[in-house]
Amino acid sequence: MVLEIVPNLVNNLWVVVAALLVFIMTIAVGFLEIGELGKHYSRALVKTIIITVSAIFIMAIIGFNTAFAPTVYGVIGNPFYGPGLLLGEFSSNAQGLLTGVWWSMGPKYFNTGLATGSYFLFEAAFASVTFALVSVIVLKKVKMKALALFSIAYFILIWNLPAAWIWNPTGWLYLMGMRDFAGGLVVHAAAGAAGLAIVLEIWLEEKKRGFKQSPKVGIKLNKSWLALGILLLWMGWFGFNPGSVLAFNSSALTVVLTTFLAASSAAVSTMGFKWLKDRAKPDIAYGVNGILMGLIIITPLAGFVSPGSAIVLGLIGGPLFLAAERYFSKAKGFTDPVGLFPGHLVGGIFGVLMIAFFTQHSFAAASGNGILPNGLLFGGGLSALHQLGIEAFGIIVVFAAVFLLSFAFIWLIAKCIGGITDSAYYKEIKSAKAGHRN
Amino acid sequence: MVLEIVPNLVNNLWVVVAALLVFIMTIAVGFLEIGELGKHYSRALVKTIIITVSAIFIMAIIGFNTAFAPTVYGVIGNPFYGPGLLLGEFSSNAQGLLTGVWWSMGPKYFNTGLATGSYFLFEAAFASVTFALVSVIVLKKVKMKALALFSIAYFILIWNLPAAWIWNPTGWLYLMGMRDFAGGLVVHAAAGAAGLAIVLEIWLEEKKRGFKQSPKVGIKLNKSWLALGILLLWMGWFGFNPGSVLAFNSSALTVVLTTFLAASSAAVSTMGFKWLKDRAKPDIAYGVNGILMGLIIITPLAGFVSPGSAIVLGLIGGPLFLAAERYFSKAKGFTDPVGLFPGHLVGGIFGVLMIAFFTQHSFAAASGNGILPNGLLFGGGLSALHQLGIEAFGIIVVFAAVFLLSFAFIWLIAKCIGGITDSAYYKEIKSAKAGHRN
Amino acid sequence: MVLEIVPNLVNNLWVVVAALLVFIMTIAVGFLEIGELGKHYSRALVKTIIITVSAIFIMAIIGFNTAFAPTVYGVIGNPFYGPGLLLGEFSSNAQGLLTGVWWSMGPKYFNTGLATGSYFLFEAAFASVTFALVSVIVLKKVKMKALALFSIAYFILIWNLPAAWIWNPTGWLYLMGMRDFAGGLVVHAAAGAAGLAIVLEIWLEEKKRGFKQSPKVGIKLNKSWLALGILLLWMGWFGFNPGSVLAFNSSALTVVLTTFLAASSAAVSTMGFKWLKDRAKPDIAYGVNGILMGLIIITPLAGFVSPGSAIVLGLIGGPLFLAAERYFSKAKGFTDPVGLFPGHLVGGIFGVLMIAFFTQHSFAAASGNGILPNGLLFGGGLSALHQLGIEAFGIIVVFAAVFLLSFAFIWLIAKCIGGITDSAYYKEIKSAKAGHRN
């Protein structure tokens, strides 16, 4: 006798609505970009639309499998796993579509009863927004064709490996005990690592073009689109973090809280510290960056901590962002006006490390991560130190893997299409030498 | 003993949230219009706001009944059916408000346990967005008064008849076996037919004004609003198609998938074929039109097909749109910059016909349409051919009815108010002869 | 033996999604402001972002308690109530987070099984949007610092007292029988009262600056942002009113209906009466104000009335708004371009009074307010008159309390920081005397 596994209605409802909210975020990143760089940078919009459709398209064909199918030796999901390949192709009996749930959502693993449809859409939206974050670094400098080619590798392999390692219940880092709730590492820091690989290639090409410093791109606020961008991103994070419980229960409600509290307190803290430092009036750019920093920091541990900790983490986010922004703004080799590195890279890594400090076992257990011990600040002692080691190890491995893979692919693409940078842009820059650089 | 029929909570939650998403779409069409025609065409915004409020207002008074009340001989819903007339007026015992479910949602028919509130809002939002699609054809040419008068007929009769025939379980086409999942015909192709009636009247009046060709209105992209428009429309379609299951179950999750896959693959295909044909770089206009084409095509059969088929249908959408756009752009008698005819009319009809090719019985049964046989591509044979005949017959009947009714009403309105076209616009056009035409 | 109280999943899902929608509204008010005053008034955006984050931050620390914790003598919520103070701080056993429900949502009181997380987010979003409404009155005239300081008092005391009195089941007005469904008084009229206190202080300072009339700020439509603003606000109201049932049931579905019907019919009525009066073509400003007026009026009784009554109330809203707008526009002592007083103050008070006219007991009982008798129009007779007295008494008490508290705090702030008005603005005004005033 075979017991049929039935999808859990409320969990699916929660996750599929969360998926819709995360889906919004990619184009919201486009609005954030024109909000910070001005409407003349409308390229951000076609870019984020293309990213949205390619993410769904490529993930549906094969990328969902490489990340979330049963893994081959814990390293990569089986690309040919039937129910995930083209999402079951034309089969109406495909597991999880009409008759069951995705394998890892069954009772043997996460036991949340999610159908393939909900889980796929949720994760495809995650892949999409991760790449949108990477792409804030290309500005007008990189050819669209290069980005398009890179996106294929990105959605089949670069995004998928860390996901397979950490979020797949048969992944090697997951089995080692590494946890990253909603992607401080898998999304934010990994986006930063891929971004670094791209700016390295840009810089190598810029040096060949005779630049001694990477041309800087300045901020040019378009406040309405910036406000809309952050509103949509914050709404998206309501799906991003609380949806990552992959179920609707008390833990999901707690994650809503920790997410919103960290965002608010980080915004208060960023504007406050900016004022303390420079007597700068609260302005929209620091408000927005503060909200983002809070959301990024809480992402990897939103399901593991108490509301009180979320507020503390948010408050730390302000000075951390200001310091990181100051540090990265001095870089000669790249320009990062939208803040990929001080925000997503630094905030993501910081948040993952904080797992070993702020986790409270009862919260972690409620979100399905009962393996996590209390953090150092909650009496975790040696177990917490051990967890800190695992998290740090995971950060190093994933950062290195994503950076190297990304650089290898972007370098290869550069070889094939004669460089990834766009000559038109640099001509424009040079001819405008006397005038403004933008 | 009377058994009380209790609303199904999760189904109502799903459909009322879907209704909210569909509700967004009408104003989103306004953003799409200013996105394609430029901000000077701000008239689109007041137009879509007025459409939104009139749709809800008129449907609440009587239009919900003419479409969804028990029909008179299968032709039209009983306008005086108590629970629908003014939504039960002042009665607190109205069926479906506090004590039960809308008649067709009870066990005798669709058996989804929807309350009047959810179902009304969902369908009023459908009527609203359908008329918003029709209205993209009026541009600056038509008097607002003409459109307002037409909307009354539209929300009482023109939209409602096809809905009563195909979506009402006592409608004559429904009983004949015609199916149209979420409105490839009832919404998109019908909007096209009504639009054709309006452009015919416009053209007749333009000829009287001495024009030998209908003044063309050019595209003038406003990329941020275009991006916002398509984002909101796509979000809306998450309600439009998956909500059309009228229940939350495995089928609804599959419909989320087929909808998103068709949109993505059609966008990839449209931009890809445009590049193959003209070596045109991917741009936002073709990205947006591709997404829309995929969404339109999948609409009539989103609940009947597998994810694999959705991708195939999306991929066909690209060249189909490009060919149709080329064909309609040559028309002398009208101008259709936003693409009502190549998109909604052609895409809608194509999708309905594809029911007879791509349907898989098990998917159709899961969405409550067990009467549908497998399509021709899935071994449906003669049954599929029979279904093809029914669908084609339905298309012809609905197209003819909507076109004739629309023309009759718009002609009558023209008689009453001295023409539907706005002299101010044509003076402006003529005086700008030497300059740009817009 | 202790029976554990388990959160109700569907109710929490409904309210937390509603909370997300209400959360959107604060920034949507910013879009509405730039929609009515023009893009140069981008200050509205940073203002509404700051309001959003401070509301969540301050409510999390203490404001949720002062409004919703068990009250001290019915007057104010106990600020030190454990589960609400910092939302349970670092405790993982905090009531309502992982193990239970907020006290007033348990079986002894409202019995909806809401967890602290959902309820907090919902109410923090309410506080936020209320203050956003207050803040439409500051324009460029008031220093941001003054507003920031005022917000602290606002989120700890001024917003919280009326909420504690009317929405807290141990509040003195609640116990007296006062009802205000979703905040016609607690939100809209109270925002108007606080706004009046601020304009009084502005006017006192303007007189000192030598003005004989408060400088008027004119309307300068930015139609796209206005359309987006009203779309987001209407979406938000889907959470605001239907979420205020604090449960998902037939009543919540009815509230969706009454809310949408009142909005639509008030918009139709406002544009219609404007046309009757001035032969003015329907325009976006009156469309938007009509929608808002309908939404405001229905807010205090959306859960008590039938769909028919909602339409009637909406239809009354049109002429009421037009008359109030005319009245307030003549004021010498303030300028109110966005319409805080004719809309929120007048509409809110009117709606609360209408409780005694339009309530139908069965609807009120279904939304958990079984204490309410039928209204005067539904045979309520003496009981309805008694209710009218209670509602009027509540209006007077809350209006007086909010006005006096607000004036006291704003006056104190003015003393501390040398006036709340911004000299830069008035210099600008004076130097532009010959030119336009804006």
Side-chain angles (χ1 to χ4, degrees):
Chain A
M1 200 189 106
V2 179
L3 268 180
E4 207 186 342
I5 301 165
V6 181
N8 178 307
L9 274 193
V10 174
N11 289 354
N12 275 287
L13 187 56
W14 180 242
V15 172
V16 83
V17 169
L20 176 68
L21 292 169
V22 179
F23 158 80
I24 298 170
M25 295 173 80
T26 299
I27 293 177
V29 169
F31 295 145
L32 194 80
E33 285 186 84
I34 61 167
E36 301 212 341
L37 303 179
K39 272 205 156 182
H40 71 283
Y41 186 52
S42 66
R43 189 190 192 196
L45 300 168
V46 63
K47 186 184 72 179
T48 49
I49 289 177
I50 292 176
I51 290 174
T52 302
V53 299
S54 348
I56 297 175
F57 188 68
I58 299 172
M59 290 288 285
I61 294 174
I62 192 122
F64 186 54
N65 261 354
T66 54
F68 299 103
T71 58
V72 182
Y73 301 117
V75 175
I76 187 168
N78 174 3
F80 308 111
Y81 180 64
L85 188 65
L86 252 159
L87 299 172
E89 301 171 75
F90 304 96
S91 162
S92 60
N93 296 314
Q95 182 193 6
L97 275 174
L98 291 175
T99 60
V101 304
W102 184 249
W103 70 280
S104 60
M105 298 297 142
K108 264 194 71 177
Y109 296 101
F110 296 142
N111 198 20
T112 60
L114 291 190
T116 300
S118 328
Y119 192 42
F120 164 77
L121 201 69
F122 189 67
E123 297 296 354
F126 263 68
S128 177
V129 71
T130 309
F131 194 56
L133 298 177
V134 175
S135 83
V136 302
I137 212 67
V138 306
L139 304 164
K140 288 186 176 173
K141 294 178 168 184
V142 174
K143 297 173 189 163
M144 276 296 233
K145 197 197 291 180
L147 195 71
L149 290 171
F150 186 64
S151 79
I152 299 173
Y154 197 83
F155 292 131
I156 294 181
L157 207 61
I158 304 175
W159 187 80
N160 317 59
L161 286 184
W165 299 349
I166 298 177
W167 285 347
N168 190 313
T170 62
W172 70 280
L173 281 170
Y174 181 89
L175 293 173
M176 186 188 278
M178 166 94 190
R179 289 296 180 274
D180 174 9
F181 180 66
L185 178 58
V186 177
V187 172
H188 297 286
L196 276 178
I198 294 177
V199 295
L200 175 56
E201 176 64 29
I202 295 176
W203 178 221
L204 293 175
E205 296 189 14
E206 284 177 341
K207 282 204 287 192
K208 276 194 212 150
R209 288 179 191 274
F211 285 91
K212 287 183 179 137
Q213 176 166 358
S214 183
K216 291 278 171 191
V217 172
I219 297 287
K220 189 178 169 185
L221 294 185
N222 182 315
K223 295 182 184 178
S224 353
W225 290 100
L226 186 53
L228 184 62
I230 193 66
L231 175 63
L232 294 177
L233 282 171
W234 194 339
M235 286 171 64
W237 240 291
F238 182 97
F240 205 88
N241 285 2
S244 289
V245 177
L246 301 176
F248 187 71
N249 50 30
S250 294
S251 175
L253 293 171
T254 308
V255 173
V256 172
L257 265 191
T258 53
T259 301
F260 275 64
L261 293 176
S264 300
S265 48
V268 168
S269 157
T270 305
M271 289 186 289
F273 276 93
K274 183 72 188 168
W275 180 79
L276 285 175
K277 219 179 93 210
D278 306 333
R279 299 287 138 177
K281 279 193 190 175
D283 86 335
I284 195 167
Y286 284 96
V288 165
N289 280 320
I291 292 169
L292 278 177
M293 193 64 170
L295 292 168
I296 294 163
I297 287 177
I298 200 66
T299 291
L301 70 174
F304 311 154
V305 301
S306 60
S309 298
I311 292 177
V312 172
L313 285 162
L315 292 175
I316 299 173
L320 182 65
F321 175 78
L322 293 172
E325 186 197 37
R326 195 188 163 96
Y327 175 80
F328 282 104
S329 69
K330 291 180 189 153
K332 249 181 45 183
F334 60 81
T335 178
D336 177 21
V338 180
L340 174 62
F341 302 132
H344 300 277
L345 181 60
V346 170
I349 290 177
F350 176 75
V352 174
L353 294 174
M354 288 306 101
I355 293 173
F357 290 82
F358 284 91
T359 293
Q360 290 175 252
H361 176 74
S362 54
F363 286 104
S367 72
N369 296 282
I371 196 184
L372 283 180
N374 277 325
L376 285 163
L377 300 172
F378 292 89
L382 284 182
S383 314
L385 274 178
H386 180 241
Q387 189 66 34
L388 182 59
I390 294 178
E391 302 291 340
F393 174 73
I395 290 170
I396 292 165
V397 169
V398 167
F399 184 90
V402 170
F403 179 80
L404 293 174
L405 273 172
S406 296
F407 188 72
F409 277 107
I410 205 77
W411 180 86
L412 196 70
I413 290 166
K415 285 289 155 213
C416 295
I417 65 170
I420 64 166
T421 51
D422 191 342
S423 299
Y425 172 74
Y426 292 94
K427 260 183 216 158
E428 194 187 299
I429 288 286
K430 280 176 180 167
S431 75
K433 222 171 194 171
H436 297 286
R437 281 184 180 177
N438 200 13
Chain B
M1 202 187 105
V2 179
L3 269 181
E4 205 186 344
I5 300 165
V6 180
N8 177 309
L9 275 193
V10 174
N11 288 355
N12 275 287
L13 187 55
W14 180 243
V15 171
V16 83
V17 169
L20 177 68
L21 292 169
V22 179
F23 159 79
I24 298 170
M25 294 173 81
T26 299
I27 293 177
V29 170
F31 295 144
L32 194 80
E33 286 185 84
I34 61 166
E36 300 211 343
L37 303 179
K39 272 204 156 182
H40 71 282
Y41 186 52
S42 65
R43 187 189 194 199
L45 299 168
V46 64
K47 187 184 71 180
T48 49
I49 287 177
I50 292 176
I51 290 174
T52 303
V53 300
S54 345
I56 297 175
F57 188 69
I58 299 171
M59 289 287 285
I61 293 173
I62 192 123
F64 186 55
N65 261 354
T66 54
F68 299 103
T71 58
V72 182
Y73 301 117
V75 175
I76 186 168
N78 174 3
F80 307 110
Y81 180 63
L85 188 67
L86 253 160
L87 300 171
E89 300 171 77
F90 304 96
S91 162
S92 61
N93 297 315
Q95 182 193 6
L97 275 175
L98 290 174
T99 60
V101 303
W102 185 249
W103 70 280
S104 60
M105 298 297 142
K108 265 194 70 178
Y109 296 101
F110 296 142
N111 199 20
T112 60
L114 290 190
T116 301
S118 327
Y119 191 44
F120 164 77
L121 202 68
F122 189 67
E123 297 296 354
F126 263 68
S128 177
V129 72
T130 309
F131 193 56
L133 298 177
V134 175
S135 83
V136 302
I137 213 68
V138 307
L139 304 163
K140 288 185 176 174
K141 294 180 168 182
V142 174
K143 298 173 189 164
M144 276 297 232
K145 197 197 290 180
L147 195 70
L149 291 170
F150 186 63
S151 79
I152 299 173
Y154 197 83
F155 293 130
I156 295 179
L157 207 60
I158 304 175
W159 186 80
N160 317 59
L161 287 183
W165 299 348
I166 298 178
W167 285 347
N168 191 313
T170 63
W172 71 280
L173 281 171
Y174 181 89
L175 293 173
M176 185 187 280
M178 165 94 191
R179 290 295 181 273
D180 175 9
F181 180 66
L185 178 58
V186 178
V187 172
H188 296 286
L196 276 177
I198 294 177
V199 294
L200 175 57
E201 176 64 29
I202 295 175
W203 178 221
L204 292 175
E205 296 189 15
E206 282 176 342
K207 281 203 289 192
K208 277 193 212 150
R209 287 178 193 275
F211 286 91
K212 286 183 180 138
Q213 176 167 357
S214 183
K216 291 278 172 190
V217 173
I219 298 286
K220 188 178 171 187
L221 294 185
N222 182 315
K223 294 181 185 179
S224 352
W225 290 100
L226 186 53
L228 184 62
I230 193 65
L231 175 63
L232 294 177
L233 282 171
W234 195 339
M235 286 171 64
W237 240 290
F238 181 97
F240 205 88
N241 285 2
S244 289
V245 177
L246 303 175
F248 187 71
N249 51 30
S250 294
S251 174
L253 294 171
T254 308
V255 174
V256 172
L257 264 191
T258 52
T259 301
F260 275 63
L261 294 175
S264 299
S265 47
V268 168
S269 157
T270 306
M271 290 186 289
F273 276 93
K274 183 72 187 168
W275 180 79
L276 285 175
K277 218 178 91 207
D278 307 331
R279 299 286 138 179
K281 278 194 191 176
D283 87 334
I284 195 167
Y286 284 97
V288 165
N289 280 322
I291 291 169
L292 278 177
M293 193 65 171
L295 292 168
I296 294 162
I297 288 177
I298 200 67
T299 291
L301 70 174
F304 311 154
V305 301
S306 59
S309 299
I311 292 176
V312 172
L313 285 162
L315 292 175
I316 299 173
L320 182 65
F321 175 79
L322 293 172
E325 186 197 37
R326 195 187 164 97
Y327 175 79
F328 282 104
S329 69
K330 291 181 190 153
K332 248 181 45 182
F334 60 82
T335 177
D336 177 21
V338 179
L340 174 61
F341 302 132
H344 300 276
L345 181 59
V346 171
I349 290 176
F350 176 74
V352 174
L353 293 174
M354 288 307 103
I355 293 173
F357 290 82
F358 284 92
T359 294
Q360 290 176 252
H361 176 74
S362 54
F363 286 104
S367 72
N369 297 282
I371 197 184
L372 282 180
N374 277 326
L376 285 164
L377 300 173
F378 291 89
L382 284 182
S383 313
L385 274 179
H386 180 242
Q387 189 66 33
L388 183 59
I390 294 178
E391 301 291 340
F393 174 73
I395 291 170
I396 292 165
V397 169
V398 168
F399 184 91
V402 170
F403 179 81
L404 292 174
L405 273 173
S406 296
F407 188 73
F409 277 107
I410 204 76
W411 180 87
L412 196 70
I413 291 166
K415 286 288 157 217
C416 296
I417 65 171
I420 64 166
T421 51
D422 191 343
S423 300
Y425 172 75
Y426 292 94
K427 261 182 215 158
E428 194 187 298
I429 288 286
K430 279 176 183 168
S431 75
K433 223 172 194 171
H436 296 286
R437 282 185 179 177
N438 202 12
Chain C
M1 203 190 104
V2 179
L3 267 181
E4 206 185 344
I5 301 165
V6 180
N8 178 307
L9 274 193
V10 174
N11 288 355
N12 275 286
L13 187 55
W14 180 244
V15 172
V16 82
V17 169
L20 177 67
L21 292 168
V22 179
F23 159 80
I24 298 171
M25 295 173 80
T26 299
I27 293 177
V29 169
F31 295 144
L32 194 80
E33 285 186 84
I34 61 167
E36 302 212 340
L37 304 179
K39 272 206 156 181
H40 70 283
Y41 187 53
S42 65
R43 187 188 194 199
L45 300 167
V46 62
K47 186 184 73 180
T48 49
I49 288 177
I50 291 176
I51 290 173
T52 303
V53 300
S54 346
I56 297 176
F57 188 69
I58 299 172
M59 290 288 284
I61 293 173
I62 192 124
F64 186 54
N65 261 354
T66 54
F68 299 102
T71 58
V72 182
Y73 301 117
V75 175
I76 186 168
N78 174 3
F80 308 110
Y81 180 63
L85 188 66
L86 252 159
L87 299 171
E89 300 171 77
F90 304 96
S91 161
S92 59
N93 296 315
Q95 182 193 7
L97 276 174
L98 291 175
T99 60
V101 304
W102 185 251
W103 69 280
S104 60
M105 299 296 143
K108 264 193 71 178
Y109 296 100
F110 297 140
N111 198 18
T112 59
L114 290 190
T116 301
S118 328
Y119 192 42
F120 163 77
L121 203 68
F122 189 68
E123 297 295 354
F126 263 68
S128 178
V129 73
T130 309
F131 193 56
L133 298 176
V134 175
S135 84
V136 303
I137 212 67
V138 307
L139 304 164
K140 288 185 176 174
K141 294 178 168 184
V142 175
K143 297 172 189 164
M144 276 296 231
K145 198 197 290 179
L147 195 71
L149 291 170
F150 186 64
S151 78
I152 299 173
Y154 197 82
F155 293 131
I156 294 180
L157 208 61
I158 304 176
W159 186 80
N160 316 59
L161 287 183
W165 299 348
I166 299 177
W167 285 347
N168 190 314
T170 63
W172 71 279
L173 281 171
Y174 181 89
L175 292 174
M176 185 188 279
M178 165 94 190
R179 290 295 180 275
D180 175 10
F181 181 65
L185 179 58
V186 178
V187 172
H188 296 286
L196 276 178
I198 294 176
V199 295
L200 174 57
E201 175 64 29
I202 295 176
W203 178 222
L204 293 176
E205 296 189 15
E206 283 176 340
K207 282 203 287 193
K208 276 193 214 151
R209 287 178 192 276
F211 285 92
K212 288 186 178 135
Q213 175 165 359
S214 183
K216 292 277 172 192
V217 173
I219 297 288
K220 188 179 170 186
L221 293 185
N222 182 316
K223 295 182 185 178
S224 352
W225 289 100
L226 186 54
L228 185 62
I230 193 66
L231 175 63
L232 293 177
L233 282 171
W234 195 340
M235 286 171 64
W237 240 291
F238 181 97
F240 205 88
N241 285 2
S244 289
V245 178
L246 302 176
F248 188 71
N249 51 30
S250 293
S251 175
L253 294 172
T254 308
V255 174
V256 172
L257 265 190
T258 53
T259 302
F260 275 64
L261 293 175
S264 299
S265 47
V268 169
S269 157
T270 305
M271 289 186 290
F273 276 93
K274 182 73 188 167
W275 180 80
L276 285 175
K277 219 179 91 206
D278 305 333
R279 299 286 138 178
K281 279 194 191 175
D283 87 334
I284 195 166
Y286 284 96
V288 165
N289 279 321
I291 291 169
L292 278 177
M293 194 64 171
L295 291 168
I296 294 163
I297 287 177
I298 200 66
T299 291
L301 69 174
F304 312 153
V305 301
S306 60
S309 298
I311 292 177
V312 172
L313 286 162
L315 292 174
I316 299 173
L320 182 65
F321 175 78
L322 293 172
E325 186 197 36
R326 195 188 163 96
Y327 176 79
F328 282 105
S329 69
K330 291 180 190 153
K332 246 182 46 182
F334 59 82
T335 178
D336 177 21
V338 179
L340 174 61
F341 302 132
H344 300 277
L345 181 60
V346 171
I349 290 175
F350 176 75
V352 173
L353 293 174
M354 288 306 101
I355 292 173
F357 291 81
F358 285 91
T359 293
Q360 290 175 254
H361 176 74
S362 54
F363 285 104
S367 72
N369 296 283
I371 197 185
L372 283 180
N374 277 326
L376 285 164
L377 299 173
F378 291 89
L382 283 182
S383 313
L385 273 179
H386 180 241
Q387 189 65 34
L388 183 59
I390 294 179
E391 301 291 340
F393 174 73
I395 291 171
I396 292 164
V397 169
V398 167
F399 184 91
V402 170
F403 178 81
L404 292 174
L405 273 173
S406 296
F407 188 73
F409 277 107
I410 206 77
W411 180 87
L412 196 70
I413 290 166
K415 285 289 156 216
C416 295
I417 64 170
I420 64 165
T421 50
D422 191 342
S423 299
Y425 171 75
Y426 292 93
K427 261 182 216 158
E428 196 187 295
I429 287 287
K430 280 176 181 167
S431 75
K433 223 171 192 170
H436 296 287
R437 281 184 180 178
N438 200 12

